[in-house]
Amino acid sequence: ACAGIDVKLILTKAKQTFSDIEVKVTAERREEVPRIYTDINLHFEVTGSDLSEKQVARAIKLSAEKYCSVSHMLQATVNITHSHTIRNA
């Protein structure tokens, strides 16, 4: 949730017009008990008109590297990756 809010705020500040941001999370866990997560991917689906690929990628990168406190807490033990798709409204 915090990554999605970060991306929303950054895109708004960058004056990008969007109508929806959906974050789909996929993850893998190890086989041994405790079955902790080893890999997490956050896939952002951003819907809008005339969205800049560069601005969307930048917003996700800033969230991941600077703002998202949950990602920062987990990154020491989990491989977190990010991807995105832009949908035209």
Side-chain angles (χ1 to χ4, degrees):
C2 80
I5 291 169
D6 290 340
V7 171
K8 175 192 178 293
L9 293 173
I10 294 165
L11 289 176
T12 299
K13 191 171 183 177
K15 298 184 181 352
Q16 294 294 294
T17 304
F18 60 93
S19 58
D20 189 44
I21 299 174
E22 186 174 342
V23 183
K24 295 183 178 182
V25 180
T26 55
E28 293 184 23
R29 297 168 67 180
R30 71 180 189 174
E31 293 297 321
E32 303 84 25
V33 176
R35 294 199 62 220
I36 61 171
Y37 289 98
T38 56
D39 297 278
I40 297 173
N41 177 262
L42 302 175
H43 182 77
F44 294 81
E45 292 183 359
V46 184
T47 303
S49 55
D50 298 321
L51 284 167
S52 163
E53 170 73 30
K54 182 179 177 180
Q55 289 293 336
V56 172
R58 177 181 172 274
I60 293 167
K61 183 177 179 176
L62 280 171
S63 173
E65 294 178 359
K66 187 172 183 178
Y67 295 111
C68 184
S69 58
V70 174
S71 290
H72 284 277
M73 284 190 311
L74 295 174
Q75 71 185 1
T77 57
V78 181
N79 177 40
I80 301 174
T81 58
H82 303 81
S83 56
H84 69 276
T85 303
I86 296 175
R87 295 184 179 177
N88 290 319

